[in-house]
Amino acid sequence: MIRLNLRKKLRGARGDFDLKVSLEIEKGEFLVIFGPSGSGKTTLLRILAGLETPDEGYLEIEGKVWIDTNRKINLPPQKREIGFVFQDYALFPNMTVFENIAYGMKKKDSKKIRELLRIAGLEKLSETKPATLSGGQKQRVALLRALAREPRLLLLDEPFSALDPQTAAPLREEVKKLQKQEGITTIMVSHHEEDVLKLADRIVHLNEGKVLFQGKPEEIFYMKRTQSPVKSSLHGLLLKKNFNHDYYEITLALKTEILTLKINQPLGEKLKVGDKLYLCIKDFEILEKNES
Amino acid sequence: MKGMDFLPFWLTLKLAFWTTLILLIIGIPIGYYLAYTKYKINLLFEAMVNLPLVIPPTVLGFYLLLILNPKGIIGSLWHKLFGKSLVFHFEGIVVASVIYCFPVMINPLVSGFRSVPKNLIEVSLTLGKSKLETLIRVILPNMKFSVLTGIVLTFAHTLGEFGIVLMIGGNIEGETKVVSIAIYDAVEKLDYSTAHIYSAILLVLSLLTILSVYILNRRLSSDQA
């Protein structure tokens, strides 16, 4: 169980704002922090890693206090037992793939490294330097390096954003499989819907430093469980349906317009081209208020 | 070439070796500090580091004489500790040469430290390594070329040191008479053949040193690819 309550003043493109987050995360949970860029999600992740200091707050993981500004506690990153995966992988160019993975292990265990490399299909690249690897391979190595040290908390900062969709899709599944298998509590920052749909047990939607919403991923995209009354509805004809790795993209003909939507896989499977559909929008969120 | 005195060369190489070694040892922590901290006072420190590039060696030598002579702050302390003077001794020209070569070593190191991607350092910390271990296993290996540039340039620069050595060390056979001074001395005595030989050797030696920077540069950059 992780409990946190943090505040930090941030500089945004539209002036200063407060990052203010209070969360509880279950052991083994996969939490995705979702939101536009500049919403404070990476800063939150860096505070959890000890790479940045909050103005005030508290962070406790499995009974151990990592941050308590009242008691002037702020453990440095090297004492936190985390695995951090950077957006651009941050592999050590001076070390081989094997050495990169071994670097963070508390006790070097060659057998375990070889096993991890085998699972990730990288055993042939063990003695290669990172410079010659492809993006997907680099990301796998970065992930193995973070996992090899058996962290209490795995932190992923937009890990798939530099990869093309064909590479990212299978990697997402591997990550989810490994995470469930090892039962590692994971917090991932992303602004990709695919990440949320495929990986998250729970999602925290951050905007300008505030939590707008938290809950199951489908709730935020499809608003299935919102209790609010129907606000608006449309009738449409399904013209086209495309499967795109983990979601469907559908094109609907409305009275005078064409509308393209993303929907989740189970719903997409039920639909056929030519179906007549009834769409309702159940809720709105105001992201920006027109003050004039 | 018979009867040629090679003692000045030995002395020059010894001076270059000690200057480079001492500067490397003190240069790494100083470079680390200047590259990774952002205090306003650092601007002053960086300016001071680079001062030897712009002031004449005579000015620097004059001030060093004031503090290194047996009555000066450092000179008197040295005298108490080792029972001899810094001025007109080999140790004195090493001190002077270290100060004079400061920018030659520190500047490549600072830019080397700054060239190492910040996230490599951060990821090493998140992998449980201390700052010292990160420095040794991640930062320094990824700025190899800057370290080598610092070493080679400092060495080459010290080979040609003249003004400051003359101010602090004078021209004492076997103690402070390095090649550059030996050449000056030979010319003064109209001994052009000695001056010719010394100059030619120093020229080739310096060229080879600088050339090695470029060869290493090429080899290291093809290593990384």
Side-chain angles (χ1 to χ4, degrees), chain B residues 12 15-16 19-20 23 52-53 97-105 150-162 164-165 180 206 209-210:
Chain B
T12 300
L15 177 66
T19 304
T20 309
L23 268 176
L53 288 178
S97 162
V98 161
I99 291 167
Y100 196 57
C101 280
F102 230 72
V104 184
M105 178 65 91
I151 290 173
V152 177
L153 287 182
T154 305
F155 195 87
H157 200 253
T158 318
L159 289 183
E161 211 119 283
F162 177 70
I164 195 122
V165 177
S180 56
S206 303
T209 316
I210 301 284

Side-chain angles (χ1 to χ4, degrees), chain A residues 195-233:
Chain A
D195 287 341
V196 174
L197 288 169
K198 203 84 198 179
L199 295 167
D201 295 326
R202 188 155 59 103
I203 154 172
V204 170
H205 189 169
L206 211 60
N207 194 39
E208 295 237 312
K210 307 281 179 300
V211 176
L212 277 185
F213 170 93
Q214 54 169 311
K216 295 239 158 91
E218 57 273 22
E219 289 175 340
I220 195 167
F221 289 114
Y222 310 110
M223 302 166 194
K224 266 187 185 161
R225 288 169 209 184
T226 43
Q227 300 299 314
S228 52
V230 171
K231 297 245 168 78
S232 170
S233 64

Side-chain angles (χ1 to χ4, degrees), chain A residues 46 49 51 77-79 81-86 88-95 99-100 102-105 129 131-132 145-146 149, chain B residues 116-144 223-225:
Chain A
R46 290 173 59 84
L51 296 171
Q78 58 269 36
K79 299 238 166 83
E81 295 184 62
I82 47 169
F84 196 109
V85 178
F86 282 83
D88 59 356
Y89 329 122
L91 297 177
F92 304 122
N94 57 313
M95 299 180 201
E99 288 164 343
N100 261 284
Y103 184 81
M105 292 177 100
K129 292 270 174 79
T132 53
R145 181 176 64 181
R149 61 191 315 261
Chain B
V116 176
K118 200 171 143 232
N119 60 11
L120 289 185
I121 301 167
E122 289 181 339
V123 88
S124 170
L125 297 177
T126 67
L127 289 166
K129 300 298 181 226
S130 66
K131 286 189 173 171
L132 183 65
E133 196 168 353
T134 301
L135 172 70
I136 295 166
R137 290 181 64 187
V138 174
I139 302 176
L140 290 176
N142 284 302
M143 52 179 271
K144 254 187 289 179
D223 255 14
Q224 297 280 320

Side-chain angles (χ1 to χ4, degrees), chain A residues 24-39:
Chain A
E24 286 195 357
I25 303 154
E26 294 295 327
K27 193 171 172 14
E29 193 174 2
F30 200 123
L31 185 80
V32 174
I33 301 171
F34 180 80
S37 54
S39 57

Side-chain angles (χ1 to χ4, degrees), chain A residues 10 45 63 73 109 175 194 197 210 233-234 245 256 268:
Chain A
L10 294 181
L45 203 69
I73 297 175
D109 180 352
V175 167
E194 289 92 320
L197 288 169
K210 307 281 179 300
S233 64
L234 303 161
H245 301 291
T256 53

Side-chain angles (χ1 to χ4, degrees), chain A residues 18-19 26 48 62 66 70 75 95 136 158 224 273 290:
Chain A
D18 262 349
L19 173 70
E26 294 295 327
L48 295 177
E62 290 163 29
W66 283 3
N70 287 334
L75 283 192
M95 299 180 201
E158 302 265 10
K224 266 187 185 161
V273 171
N290 182 357

Side-chain angles (χ1 to χ4, degrees), chain B residues 57-58 60-61 64 93 96-97 100 161-169:
Chain B
T58 44
L60 194 65
L64 282 175
I93 58 172
S97 162
Y100 196 57
E161 211 119 283
F162 177 70
I164 195 122
V165 177
L166 193 64
M167 287 288 281
I168 303 295

